[in-house]
Amino acid sequence: MKTLPRFAAYAIVAVGALIMLAPFYFMFVFATQSRTDIFNVPPPLWFSGELLNNIKVLTTRLPFWKNVGWSLYVGLMSTALTLLFCSMAGYAFAMLEFRFKKALFALVMATMMVPSFMNMIPSFMVMDALGWIDTHRALYLPGAASAFGIFLMRQFAASTVPRELLNAARIDGASELGIYWRIALPLMKPALGTLGLITFISSWNNFMNPLIVMRSAENYTLPLALRSLFSTTSTEWGALMAGSAIATLPLLVLFVISSRQLIAGLTAGAVK
C-alpha cells in the first residue's frame, strides 16, 4: 500500500511536467511549420520541413543575428558587472564593520519593494539626460548592483567565509581588496555561479528596458526584435516561432547543464 501514494505523487509530478513542457514542445514544432499549417485544426503535433524557410524569412525581416549578438553582449556585460559589484557589496555588508551599516542594508532591501513599473519614467529621463538613448550601456549599467544580488552574496558570505581566516590575512598584512579578491571571492563561487545564471537569464529575456530606451532595429535585443515581427495584418508566425526557438534553446541548454548549481547556490546555508 505504501507504493500507491508514491505512484500518485510521481503521476502528479509527471502530469505537471508535461503541462509545463507543452508550450516549449509546440514552439519547436511550429518553428518547422508554415504559417498556414500552424492554424490547422487540429494543430500539427510533429515536425515538418519549413524551418529553413522560416529562418530565411526571419533574417530577411530582421537583422536577426546582429540582434542575437547584442543580446549576448548585454547579457555578458550585465552578468560580469553584477557579479563584481554585488559580491563586493555583499562581502562588505557581511564581513566589514562601518557606520550606518544596518541602515544602508535596510535601504538596499527596501528597493526590492518598489514595483519595477514605477521606475520606467524616471529611468527614461535619466537615460535621456545622460545621452544613453539607443545605446546598450543603458541596458546593463543601471542594474549592475541589484538588491537581490547584494542580499544573496551577503547571506552566502556571512555563512561560508570564516572571519578567522580574514583576520589572519590582515595580521599578515594583506589589504582589504586583496583579502576580498584572493580569499573571500574564491569561497563565494557557488553563490557567484547562481547569481550569474539568474542575471544572464534575466538579461536575455529582458523586454521592458530595451522597449524604453532602444530606437533602431539594428540595436534591438532578441525579445524586442521578435516583438517587432508582430503585425495587425500579416504576422509571419512560422518565422516568429523559429526566432523564439533559437532564442530559447541556449537558455534551455544552460539550465539543464547548471540546474544543480542553481539550486545548490540558492539553498546554500539554509540547511545545516
Side-chain angles (χ1 to χ4, degrees), residues 1-10:
M1 294 298 294
K2 292 183 179 180
T3 59
L4 185 59
R6 181 179 297 179
F7 176 78
Y10 287 156

Side-chain angles (χ1 to χ4, degrees), residues 90-263:
Y91 167 78
F93 280 123
M95 312 306 297
L96 303 181
E97 297 296 331
F98 50 90
R99 293 183 64 186
F100 309 117
K101 172 181 173 179
K102 293 184 178 179
L104 288 173
F105 186 70
L107 181 62
V108 170
M109 292 298 97
T111 61
M112 297 178 67
M113 301 176 64
V114 180
S116 58
F117 68 86
M118 294 184 63
N119 296 326
M120 291 168 49
I121 295 176
S123 296
F124 176 82
M125 295 175 65
V126 171
M127 296 302 105
D128 186 44
L130 293 174
W132 288 2
I133 298 297
D134 205 25
T135 62
H136 294 95
R137 68 176 69 95
L139 301 179
Y140 58 79
L141 283 178
S146 66
F148 170 77
I150 293 173
F151 173 76
L152 177 65
M153 300 306 296
R154 186 255 187 192
Q155 296 301 104
F156 190 87
S159 62
T160 59
V161 179
R163 292 181 179 272
E164 294 79 7
L165 186 61
L166 305 186
N167 291 332
R170 293 188 182 101
I171 293 174
D172 288 340
S175 64
E176 289 297 332
L177 184 60
I179 293 172
Y180 156 78
W181 188 259
R182 297 178 182 177
I183 299 176
L185 200 61
L187 295 175
M188 296 161 65
K189 282 183 178 179
L192 289 171
T194 300
L195 181 59
L197 287 171
I198 294 173
T199 303
F200 183 83
I201 292 172
S202 176
S203 175
W204 185 271
N205 292 329
N206 191 2
F207 172 77
M208 189 57 64
N209 289 345
L211 180 65
I212 294 172
V213 300
M214 305 310 291
R215 294 294 178 268
S216 55
E218 291 77 11
N219 291 331
Y220 284 173
T221 53
L222 267 178
L224 191 57
L226 293 176
R227 176 61 180 83
S228 66
L229 287 177
F230 281 96
S231 171
T232 57
T233 56
S234 59
T235 299
E236 292 289 345
W237 290 103
L240 182 60
M241 291 296 103
S244 300
I246 294 172
T248 304
L249 190 59
L251 297 185
L252 291 177
V253 174
L254 183 63
F255 181 78
V256 169
I257 294 174
S258 56
S259 58
R260 188 182 299 271
Q261 166 72 28
L262 178 65
I263 297 171

